[in-house]
Amino acid sequence: MEKNIIKDKLNRPMHDLRISVIDRCNFRCQYCMPAEKFGPDFEFLPRSALLTYEEIERLGKIFVRLGVEKIRLTGGEPLLRKDLPHLVEKLSAIKGLSDIGLTTNGVLLPKLANELKAAGLKRVNVSLDTLNDELFGQINGRGIGTAPVLEGIEAAKQAGLGVKINMVVKKGLNDTEIIPMAKFCKEQGLELRYIEFMDVGSTNGWKMDDVITKRQIFHLLNEEFELEPVGPAYFGEVAKLYKYKDKDVNVGFITSVSESFCSSCTRSRLSANGQIFTCLFNGNGHDIRNFMRNGATDEQLVERITAIWNGRDDRYSDERTAETNKNRKKIEMSYIGG
Ligand code: SAM
Ligand code: SF4
Ligand code: SF4
């Protein structure tokens, strides 16, 4: 298919698209949706506000025309959206799309992994921040132990999906788990990605002091393992990758805070209610759902998305200071999907 690759003001193409399919979650991770802020009275989006699968498919095709090659489904917890394999099937039929992934807390994978794989899903990133049941229960705010997530990881492997593990590291919370998680993932042949705790949204009480940087994690790992760098797989690869010298398993870092990577950020985001966000930290979404529901043609959608991307000059992480964190209107991670 002929692609018309669009570029933003800083000459960055739009290479990948994150689609949040739902803003709800069965967890209340304290760094993402703290239980005290997302309580029983919290008003999530009504069903009618969510993009339908047909709308997502239509937009997916247009994004691919404009250069997107990879789509990742996320949330909230994407596996809570009814019949998700049906959406995966629709998206995987889009010509010109080379990869579909999913980021999940893993709990529903035993039920859905085979169906997702059959529908065309290639890989899953499963979030797991500790192997300690008690600590995990505290982090997820629901007292849920690690067993359902570990079962989810196993189910994904058995289904033939590629599996990576995401671990958010927060000082004083789970930094003691850095080495145990590395050992576990190395043994299991799973790529572990350490994610620096980020100042997304305004509910997680982020402070620069709570961040454990890649440098600090790397220092700890170096005392236990011998690592060698692996080059980026493609322009816009966000993880800084290493591999164990004695085993062909990668370990990566998402250094959003300590070593920003805005100059190669090629990611566009579509929220569950059809707003386009050009940066994780830019709280101003661009409505596309109502435009579409009011009868926009494909060509008008192409024009609007092109104009949004052409106008993009976001580089929040490059510019981050303690002050920018306080003063900026930001969108919650559970809404936009990480
Ligand atoms: N519910 C799914 C999950 O947990 O994988 C998908 C959505 S979640 C918002 C996407 C990713 O964002 C997860 O890997 C999660 O750990 C990460 N995340 C959430 N809040 C974060 C924060 N404050 N800093 C860094 N990463 C965060
Ligand atoms: Fe839910 Fe994922 Fe956020 Fe945890 S990180 S609260 S599982 S959306
Ligand atoms: Fe991309 Fe915004 Fe993150 Fe920079 S801060 S890497 S522009 S999402």
Side-chain angles (χ1 to χ4, degrees):
M1 186 196 50
E2 191 66 23
K3 288 200 181 199
N4 173 24
I5 295 174
I6 54 173
K7 302 258 177 93
D8 69 6
K9 283 188 175 167
L10 305 177
N11 210 27
R12 297 167 295 188
M14 185 168 63
H15 185 266
D16 55 314
L17 173 66
R18 292 252 156 135
I19 304 178
S20 171
V21 293
I22 192 163
D23 61 336
R24 288 163 204 260
C25 189
N26 42 359
F27 279 10
R28 288 291 178 274
C29 301
Q30 47 177 276
Y31 50 73
C32 176
M33 296 176 82
E36 60 283 9
K37 302 267 171 54
F38 291 82
D41 298 332
F42 186 84
E43 284 188 30
F44 289 101
L45 293 168
R47 201 186 149 83
S48 59
L50 303 183
L51 290 178
T52 65
Y53 286 171
E54 287 67 31
E55 288 170 332
I56 295 176
E57 180 190 22
R58 182 174 175 209
L59 289 174
K61 284 182 183 158
I62 290 170
F63 273 96
V64 170
R65 266 174 71 182
L66 297 176
V68 163
E69 291 188 5
K70 302 170 82 152
I71 288 182
R72 176 165 290 275
L73 301 175
T74 178
E77 175 44 47
L79 298 183
L80 288 182
R81 179 88 188 245
K82 202 165 168 253
D83 209 8
L84 193 73
H86 186 52
L87 175 65
V88 172
E89 202 176 334
K90 282 177 175 298
L91 295 177
S92 59
I94 298 177
K95 290 198 178 60
L97 187 67
S98 62
D99 194 23
I100 302 185
L102 170 82
T103 305
T104 172
N105 64 26
V107 170
L108 289 168
L109 280 173
K111 196 171 146 208
L112 291 166
N114 284 328
E115 249 185 284
L116 288 165
K117 169 74 180 166
L121 189 73
K122 301 266 198 318
R123 60 196 76 256
V124 288
N125 283 17
V126 180
S127 301
L128 179 65
D129 307 314
T130 170
L131 293 164
N132 177 311
D133 284 318
E134 200 178 318
L135 179 57
F136 191 58
Q138 274 171 37
I139 293 177
N140 63 50
R142 288 274 158 95
I144 298 169
T146 58
V149 182
L150 296 175
E151 283 161 24
I153 292 169
E154 196 47 41
K157 278 167 122 182
Q158 292 299 330
L161 291 164
V163 183
K164 290 177 186 166
I165 306 298
N166 284 354
M167 172 181 179
V168 176
V169 187
K170 185 178 170 196
K171 192 186 285 175
L173 181 69
N174 64 339
D175 36 347
T176 51
E177 291 296 296
I178 290 170
I179 297 296
M181 283 288 291
K183 286 185 175 158
F184 169 77
C185 290
K186 184 181 175 199
E187 190 189 295
Q188 297 281 320
L190 296 166
E191 180 173 317
L192 172 62
R193 289 160 170 239
Y194 295 101
I195 305 180
E196 292 177 351
F197 174 42
M198 286 189 284
D199 46 337
V200 273
S202 48
T203 57
N204 69 7
W206 183 90
K207 294 193 299 309
M208 195 72 99
D209 280 354
D210 292 333
V211 178
I212 304 266
T213 62
K214 173 208 163 189
R215 209 183 148 94
Q216 292 166 310
I217 299 171
F218 193 73
H219 184 74
L220 285 173
L221 291 180
N222 256 323
E223 289 177 358
E224 289 280 337
F225 310 100
E226 278 197 85
L227 296 169
E228 57 193 18
V230 177
Y234 55 90
F235 181 78
E237 163 75 273
V238 293
K240 306 225 166 40
L241 289 178
Y242 294 78
K243 92 173 244 318
Y244 295 100
K245 274 197 177 157
D246 59 353
K247 192 167 182 183
D248 197 14
V249 178
N250 287 350
V251 58
F253 301 86
I254 313 285
T255 60
S256 325
V257 180
S258 69
E259 293 173 27
S260 59
F261 38 79
C262 299
S263 61
S264 60
C265 178
T266 57
R267 184 163 298 163
S268 181
R269 296 179 158 85
L270 183 62
S271 69
N273 61 348
Q275 290 191 298
I276 294 176
F277 289 86
T278 53
C279 172
L280 195 47
F281 302 94
N282 184 337
N284 299 316
H286 304 264
D287 168 68
I288 203 85
R289 183 199 63 193
N290 293 343
F291 186 54
M292 188 163 51
R293 289 186 183 171
N294 288 334
T297 63
D298 281 2
E299 286 320 307
Q300 285 170 326
L301 287 168
V302 164
E303 260 173 50
R304 178 159 291 197
I305 296 169
T306 302
I308 293 167
W309 194 259
N310 287 161
R312 175 188 195 237
D313 60 0
D314 304 289
R315 42 193 293 274
Y316 177 83
S317 287
D318 281 354
E319 296 164 338
R320 176 188 285 108
T321 62
E323 288 312 301
T324 55
N325 174 51
K326 277 189 213 132
N327 300 336
R328 192 149 171 157
K329 174 188 164 208
K330 288 185 288 171
I331 196 79
E332 294 300 319
M333 190 74 140
S334 53
Y335 184 79
I336 198 178

